[in-house]
Amino acid sequence: MRANRRTDTKPELALRRALHRLGYRYRKDHRLDLDGGRRVRPDIAFTARKVAVFVDGCFWHACPEHGSKPRANEWYWGPKLIKNVERDRINDAALILAGWTVVRLWEHVPLDEAVSTVVSVLAAPAAPSPAGPAGPADTTGLVDPTKPPQRNPPAADDSLG
């Protein structure tokens, strides 16, 4: 498993290059220390706008369309993939509570669709942070943090079947 990349995957690189070409600046694999000691590393983080973008691999995050169940060592892979999905949901909730907007994209989503999703979230009007009313310094917040995180396409609850 040493050869499996945690960062700089082909879909992530393509998305980053396209966003950079459009003039967007971001941090890659930027560690966010949230309340409660939770640490989250979005693939792409727009820190000023508080938008966290994740490009999820179909196998590792149990895509309902393309995710596959390994036949060998099912005793290991089944719980591992379930824990990955649970960790994603916990991280999404922690980011939303911290006032971040979460965008989750599958690796199989076409590049132009992924770019338009991220750009539309970045262009959304500012919303007040959950800590209180927005002051002059808090005008960079985005969509309503009480909404569930965006994932394209929506994930099924029973993602491993």
Side-chain angles (χ1 to χ4, degrees), residues 34 91-102 130 144-149:
L34 305 175
N91 287 344
D92 291 350
L95 283 166
I96 290 169
L97 283 175
W100 285 74
T101 301
V102 177
D144 185 7
T146 59
K147 289 183 180 177

Side-chain angles (χ1 to χ4, degrees), residues 32-61:
L32 303 173
D33 296 322
L34 305 175
D35 293 336
R38 185 132 222 36
R39 291 181 177 164
V40 180
R41 283 188 175 270
D43 296 324
I44 302 170
F46 295 92
T47 54
R49 295 178 173 110
K50 288 189 131 185
V51 174
V53 180
F54 296 90
V55 182
D56 293 340
C58 290
F59 174 75
W60 295 106
H61 299 271

Side-chain angles (χ1 to χ4, degrees), residues 5-18:
R5 293 180 171 268
R6 183 179 65 83
T7 184
D8 293 338
T9 61
K10 287 182 183 180
E12 180 187 335
L13 285 172
L15 179 61
R16 287 197 334 236
R17 286 181 185 130

Side-chain angles (χ1 to χ4, degrees), residues 51-145:
V51 174
V53 180
F54 296 90
V55 182
D56 293 340
C58 290
F59 174 75
W60 295 106
H61 299 271
C63 172
E65 291 179 40
H66 300 103
S68 61
K69 291 183 187 178
R71 291 185 196 129
N73 300 324
E74 169 59 30
W75 58 269
Y76 173 78
W77 288 107
K80 164 102 175 112
L81 297 178
I82 289 170
K83 285 180 190 174
N84 287 351
V85 173
E86 290 172 354
R87 184 194 64 226
D88 290 344
R89 290 184 181 148
I90 291 168
N91 287 344
D92 291 350
L95 283 166
I96 290 169
L97 283 175
W100 285 74
T101 301
V102 177
V103 179
R104 286 203 174 265
L105 302 165
W106 291 112
E107 68 178 344
H108 64 264
V109 172
L111 180 61
D112 56 341
E113 188 178 327
V115 170
S116 65
T117 300
V118 173
V119 168
S120 67
V121 169
L122 292 171
S129 66
D138 288 337
T139 58
T140 58
L142 287 175
V143 298
D144 185 7

